[in-house]
Amino acid sequence: MTRQAPALRSGLFTFVLVLTLVINPASHGDNFKPFTAESFAGIKQEFLDSEFLLGLWSVDCPPCLVELNMMGDLLKKYPDLPFVLISTDPIDERNTALTLLEDYELDQRESWMFADSFIERLRYSIDPGWYGELPRSYFFDSNHQRQSHSGIMTLDLLAKWFDKDFSLP
């Protein structure tokens, strides 16, 4: 091992520590977690043996905002619906994203933001067949068999996925 290797490891550790402190959601008063290529495995582990819905969106996607509005209304009536949000925007856009989630009353939901500039790797970690179209939704049953949908979700689709009659006032 060369003398540079320990210095390189030390420098890398310092870089990761500083990066973590800079993008740590708790340090900014919002609930965004940094989404990396390893994050999706953790999300699935969190919902082990249970179904959940994953919604991918962006601040500059008008159809995404329509979907967020619908989901905000739906979650007021069905607050226990297991729904995780992932913004495909860079994490430095968190203030804009948080404002939108607050507008749709989704700011208390588990939310992630892309935290790697290599977005293809992040998309691939979720679904190798996903090319970035938004909004994008995934329903995972209790065995984590997934069904995907591109475009705005509908109440009928959610009712089918969750085997539940959803209605809004």
Side-chain angles (χ1 to χ4, degrees), residues 23-64:
I23 63 176
N24 181 357
S27 68
H28 297 283
D30 64 41
N31 62 344
F32 288 109
K33 299 176 186 176
F35 188 86
T36 65
E38 294 78 30
S39 299
F40 188 55
I43 293 170
K44 291 193 302 186
Q45 185 65 32
E46 178 183 341
F47 290 94
L48 192 62
D49 298 325
S50 61
E51 61 189 12
F52 72 99
L53 180 64
L54 183 72
L56 296 128
W57 67 287
S58 173
V59 299
D60 60 0
C61 166
C64 297

Side-chain angles (χ1 to χ4, degrees), residues 29 35 37 46 61 79 85 89 91 96 101 105 112 115 117-118 121 123 133 137-138 141 148 152-153:
F35 188 86
E46 178 183 341
C61 166
L85 288 159
D89 302 294
I91 201 159
T96 303
L101 292 185
E105 298 182 39
W112 298 75
S117 60
F118 189 10
R121 175 179 34 216
R123 288 195 314 247
E133 64 277 10
S137 305
Y138 293 91
D141 66 17
S148 62
I152 300 171
M153 282 186 285

Side-chain angles (χ1 to χ4, degrees), residues 52-149:
F52 72 99
L53 180 64
L54 183 72
L56 296 128
W57 67 287
S58 173
V59 299
D60 60 0
C61 166
C64 297
L65 303 182
V66 171
E67 183 173 280
L68 290 176
N69 185 45
M70 181 199 69
M71 289 305 298
D73 290 343
L74 185 68
L75 290 164
K76 284 179 205 167
K77 189 168 181 179
Y78 304 97
D80 294 332
L81 190 70
F83 182 50
V84 177
L85 288 159
I86 300 176
S87 170
T88 61
D89 302 294
I91 201 159
D92 62 354
E93 295 274 335
R94 73 181 145 277
N95 292 336
T96 303
L98 182 59
T99 298
L100 289 170
L101 292 185
E102 288 169 345
D103 288 348
Y104 299 117
E105 298 182 39
L106 292 168
D107 53 308
Q108 298 305 310
R109 285 284 155 174
E110 180 175 347
S111 297
W112 298 75
M113 287 191 85
F114 277 13
D116 183 340
S117 60
F118 189 10
I119 59 172
E120 293 81 6
R121 175 179 34 216
L122 300 179
R123 288 195 314 247
Y124 189 88
S125 74
I126 297 168
D127 179 356
W130 175 44
Y131 296 101
E133 64 277 10
L134 294 171
R136 180 84 166 172
S137 305
Y138 293 91
F139 172 75
F140 292 84
D141 66 17
S142 59
N143 297 315
H144 284 187
Q145 298 299 311
R146 75 173 177 217
Q147 297 178 47
S148 62
H149 176 76

